[in-house]
Amino acid sequence: GAVVSQHPSRVICKSGTSVKIECRSLDFQATTMFWYRQFPKKSLMLMATSNEGSKATYEQGVEKDKFLINHASLTLSTLTVTSAHPEDSSFYICSASLAGDQETQYFGPGTRLLVL
Amino acid sequence: LAKTTQPISMDSYEGQEVNITCSHNNIATNDYITWYQQFPSQGPRFIIQGYKTKVTNEVASLFIPADRKSSTLSLPRVSLSDTAVYYCLVALVSGGYNKLIFGAGTRLAVHP
């Protein structure tokens, strides 16, 4: 149980285009979803926390107009990287948790984004 | 700035017990300590979680002292497939708020 999927697993795009990444909880309803960014050989950096039906809470230094997060249902959250640039190239990982248990996060497999 | 501290890397051999400690001085009072395992190009995988004392499951044990300012993940009899990065995740008190913080990760290499 507690499976989280991400799509796509990898994407290559041209600079200036937008990319949408989907995160789905397959067998449970996720009250909260998290979006992380991870650089090579570095730890996970939390970008934002989203609760179903409300606006995402962004971490300091993360541009909310650059990284649009939508959490329209209890099983789906999307991250859109708008006007992507090469410095946005990274490994993006989502996770989901149940209400009141944010320490137990179920992670997706990650999405490798390469912006040319 | 509240943060956690883990060893950057560790080496071990198959069959040995490995203990990885995470220090978290500013841990929030009511939150759990959770450890994750991550293989390259994959999302982290939940290993174990505890609040205090000792917790054991089928893959690991977690030791937490009474002051909860550190926690030790214990992997019994490691195998080559345990080569991965291990992260602690704790809620730290920072600026009056509780903030979930991932440790920097410990890169474990298990050798034949």
Side-chain angles (χ1 to χ4, degrees), chain A residues 30-34 36 46 48-52 57 59 71 95-107, chain B residues 30-34 36 46 49 89-91 98-102:
Chain A
T31 307
T32 306
M33 286 187 169
F34 305 84
Y36 293 87
L46 181 63
T49 302
S50 72
N51 292 296
E52 182 265 339
T57 300
E59 294 298 302
H71 192 167
S95 70
S97 67
L98 299 171
D101 188 15
Q102 293 191 3
E103 295 97 340
T104 306
Q105 298 183 25
Y106 303 97
F107 285 85
Chain B
N30 299 319
D31 291 81
Y32 283 79
I33 299 163
T34 313
Y36 293 85
F46 174 92
Q49 183 183 78
L89 174 66
V90 298
N98 290 356
K99 187 177 178 66
L100 278 175
I101 300 287
F102 265 94

Side-chain angles (χ1 to χ4, degrees), chain B residues 3-107:
Chain B
K3 66 173 186 177
T4 64
T5 303
Q6 298 178 236
I8 294 174
S9 64
M10 296 182 70
D11 288 273
S12 183
Y13 292 92
E14 286 187 289
Q16 290 188 331
E17 178 184 82
V18 172
N19 296 308
I20 306 173
T21 297
C22 178
S23 299
H24 29 77
N25 288 330
N26 296 333
I27 188 170
T29 303
N30 299 319
D31 291 81
Y32 283 79
I33 299 163
T34 313
W35 282 79
Y36 293 85
Q37 176 193 55
Q38 187 180 30
F39 296 111
S41 297
Q42 294 185 26
R45 184 177 72 99
F46 174 92
I47 301 175
I48 197 167
Q49 183 183 78
Y51 182 75
K52 59 181 177 181
T53 62
K54 178 183 175 182
V55 179
T56 297
N57 62 21
E58 62 275 11
V59 297
S61 294
L62 181 60
F63 299 92
I64 304 169
D67 65 6
R68 299 192 350 112
K69 292 187 177 183
S70 67
S71 59
T72 299
L73 172 71
S74 180
L75 304 173
R77 297 180 299 281
V78 294
S79 63
L80 296 177
S81 62
D82 293 317
T83 293
V85 181
Y86 293 84
Y87 296 96
C88 59
L89 174 66
V90 298
L92 300 179
V93 179
S94 178
Y97 296 94
N98 290 356
K99 187 177 178 66
L100 278 175
I101 300 287
F102 265 94
T106 297
R107 193 169 298 273

Side-chain angles (χ1 to χ4, degrees), chain A residues 49-96:
Chain A
T49 302
S50 72
N51 292 296
E52 182 265 339
S54 62
K55 290 184 178 181
T57 300
Y58 290 80
E59 294 298 302
Q60 191 173 7
V62 178
E63 300 176 57
K64 62 180 180 180
D65 295 329
K66 171 77 172 176
F67 299 99
L68 301 178
I69 292 172
N70 183 277
H71 192 167
S73 77
L74 286 171
T75 59
L76 174 64
S77 177
T78 60
L79 166 68
T80 301
V81 183
T82 62
S83 186
H85 289 95
E87 58 266 30
D88 298 324
S89 298
S90 190
F91 192 50
Y92 293 88
I93 312 172
C94 72
S95 70

